Amino acid sequence: PRYVALPLDAADVALAVEFAAKNSMKVVTRSGGHQYCGLSSGGRNTLLLDMKLFGKVVFSPATGVPTQVTVGPGVALKDLSKKLLAKRVVIPHGECPLVRLGGHVQTGGIGHQLRSLGATLDWVSSFKMVTRDPQSPTTNA
């Protein structure tokens, strides 16, 4: 890529996307850089958003058995698995411990539990999208 941006929050993502649009650049994201073919980094006219700092895992409710888990795209599968285990919760997923959730979920999250529990993506209820639109409701998080 021509540039790599390391956003801290959704507002930084919106700024980077706006910069790319003003400079006629493509935008690609990576959550951990785990892409065997190396095709996800874009070309010379690309701004790459490195999402590794989006590493929060939030359980709701915070105590007891959670009914919802909010996970940032930069969370490693091994780290999420440990946190889920501590709360006695499980989701189906692949087996590479270093893959980050952003890319893993984007491609479905295929693993050995596919036949009985489905893919990781089957357990996702929503995504938070950030655009360059200044009216985007997600730029304040």
Side-chain angles (χ1 to χ4, degrees):
R2 177 169 290 177
Y3 298 109
V4 176
L6 191 62
L8 295 173
D9 55 25
D12 282 354
V13 172
L15 286 172
V17 171
E18 180 67 21
F19 171 84
K22 287 181 180 177
N23 290 281
S24 301
M25 299 177 75
K26 293 184 281 183
V27 177
V28 297
T29 60
R30 76 173 171 213
S31 56
H34 180 93
Q35 206 275 332
Y36 291 122
C37 300
L39 301 174
S40 63
S41 296
R44 285 194 256 161
N45 194 33
T46 303
L47 169 69
L48 186 145
L49 289 171
D50 187 329
M51 304 303 288
K52 68 182 174 187
L53 298 179
F54 283 67
K56 289 184 181 177
V57 177
V58 178
F59 292 95
S60 299
T63 59
V65 178
T67 57
Q68 179 176 324
V69 183
T70 302
V71 182
V75 175
L77 187 57
K78 66 178 181 145
D79 298 330
L80 178 62
S81 291
K82 289 177 187 174
K83 291 179 181 195
L84 291 175
L85 179 62
K87 294 283 190 175
R88 302 183 56 81
V89 176
V90 66
I91 59 168
H93 55 71
E95 59 188 57
C96 180
L98 301 179
V99 70
R100 305 294 170 135
L101 266 286
H104 190 57
V105 171
Q106 170 200 349
T107 57
I110 306 301
H112 293 295
Q113 302 107 343
L114 181 64
R115 288 187 181 183
S116 59
L117 298 175
T120 308
L121 186 57
D122 295 328
W123 293 85
V124 174
S125 62
S126 67
F127 287 96
K128 182 175 185 177
M129 303 298 290
V130 178
T131 70
R132 69 183 182 141
D133 180 357
Q135 301 303 313
S136 174
T138 60
T139 58
N140 61 357

